[in-house]
Amino acid sequence: MTTLDPYLAARIHLLSGLDWDGIADPEARSRFDEYGRDPGEWTMPDVDVVDHAAPGPHGDVTVRVYTPPAPAAGALLWVHGGGFWGGDLDMPESSVVAAELASRAGIVVASVGYRLAVDGVRYPVPLDDVVAAWEWFVRERPAASPVCLGGASAGGALALAAAIRLRDAGSLLPAGLFLAYPVVHFPVPALDDATAAAMRSLPPLLRFPPSLIEEMFANYVGRLGDLPPLATPGHAPLGGLPAVHLVSCELDDLRPSADLLARQLAEAGVEVRAQLAAGMPHGHLNRTPTLDGVDRSLAHFAAGLRALNGAGEVPPDVA
């Protein structure tokens, strides 16, 4: 049975009657922030954090690098989400994820401060920034070091699109792809009946109705028709990509995109290691690992990263 995580379910009443249009109201914001409070206090792992400027076609791209003590040779370039129009390097989906994966996998992790689709910025500018950050990061790594690429939500789409662009250009491919609840199709396929029924009980702030998804892609690309394949990389050829470690959220209107991507990758001969974040809504990595669902997702990615460095076994699929 599809049910919301017990900790979140006990707090869901705080979102009752709220929507994004009214979230600026102080009382509404207070309730929203209280819902976002995690079970415990998160402490930054022992990692060094330094910002760098990577040159790109639209100007420098900020790359925030997280380095644990005595890191292994491997590395990960990580791309936050936010619907292509939101998010930054300080959000948990960027800062907490990067710090935790650097510490847990014992590798260098870099998070990309790509340009957002606001104030006239559109595709392919965010993608260009991610590719520029990748090229800079690879140049900074030791020769033959396994460098991976990953991201969450819209950042997962950007990471997948960057890997496809690199493949098509004959450039160095990531050693692995790590994608959290990526949204890589438009339109997004429909939910199965059981999940759709469970989703209907959730408040608007945890939903992604078709109108919002349409607005997101229209803003990113500037139109809804004839979308470039790399704007919605689930529609691009997927063969020849490295193994993909995929985390999807159980209670997520966007989950069918991740599920379809897994089937498409397998059909194209790409290895997929998938984990379903049980009871989690979309964007759960914007919380900290004091919440069990976040901890399990980070553990799945960290195990995959360690395996690429010969420091452990590839994690099994978990449904």
Side-chain angles (χ1 to χ4, degrees), residues 227-241:
L227 298 183
L230 291 190
T232 55
H235 298 293
L238 299 172
L241 293 176

Side-chain angles (χ1 to χ4, degrees), residues 13-32:
H13 67 279
L14 293 164
L15 300 183
S16 178
L18 302 186
D19 58 34
W20 290 115
D21 290 337
I23 201 66
D25 174 78
E27 192 269 339
R29 187 74 214 186
S30 176
R31 288 166 55 193
F32 179 75

Side-chain angles (χ1 to χ4, degrees), residues 183-278:
V183 52
V184 296
H185 302 91
F186 180 79
V188 172
L191 288 164
D192 64 88
D193 290 345
T195 306
M199 293 291 295
R200 281 193 285 272
S201 67
L202 298 184
L205 288 182
L206 297 184
R207 300 297 308 274
F208 286 84
S211 59
L212 180 57
I213 300 170
E214 183 174 306
E215 181 183 3
M216 178 177 69
F217 280 103
N219 176 76
Y220 177 40
V221 183
R223 60 181 186 274
L224 290 174
D226 190 28
L227 298 183
L230 291 190
T232 55
H235 298 293
L238 299 172
L241 293 176
V244 175
H245 295 257
L246 179 66
V247 169
S248 57
C249 302
E250 187 174 26
L251 286 162
D252 181 3
D253 288 301
L254 302 173
R255 173 183 163 190
S257 184
D259 292 345
L260 175 56
L261 176 64
R263 297 193 298 273
Q264 291 174 310
L265 289 166
E267 182 181 78
V270 177
E271 180 184 0
V272 182
R273 311 300 300 182
Q275 175 162 295
L276 178 65

Side-chain angles (χ1 to χ4, degrees), residues 1 22 58 83 135 140 154-155 171 215 217 221 242 274:
M1 182 177 180
H58 310 288
E135 292 172 342
E140 295 294 307
S171 301
E215 181 183 3
F217 280 103
V221 183

Side-chain angles (χ1 to χ4, degrees), residues 52-63 77 79 110-115 124-140 149 158-159 161-163 165-166 171:
H52 297 268
H58 310 288
D60 287 349
V61 182
T62 301
V63 181
L77 186 75
V79 189
S111 189
V112 185
Y114 60 91
R115 288 168 179 79
V125 172
L127 175 58
D128 292 342
D129 282 354
V130 172
V131 172
W134 168 265
E135 292 172 342
W136 173 85
F137 193 46
V138 167
R139 288 195 301 270
E140 295 294 307
L149 178 60
L158 290 168
R165 183 187 281 184
L166 293 167
S171 301

Side-chain angles (χ1 to χ4, degrees), residues 302-313:
L305 290 163
R306 289 194 302 270
L308 282 168
N309 282 303
E313 298 181 355

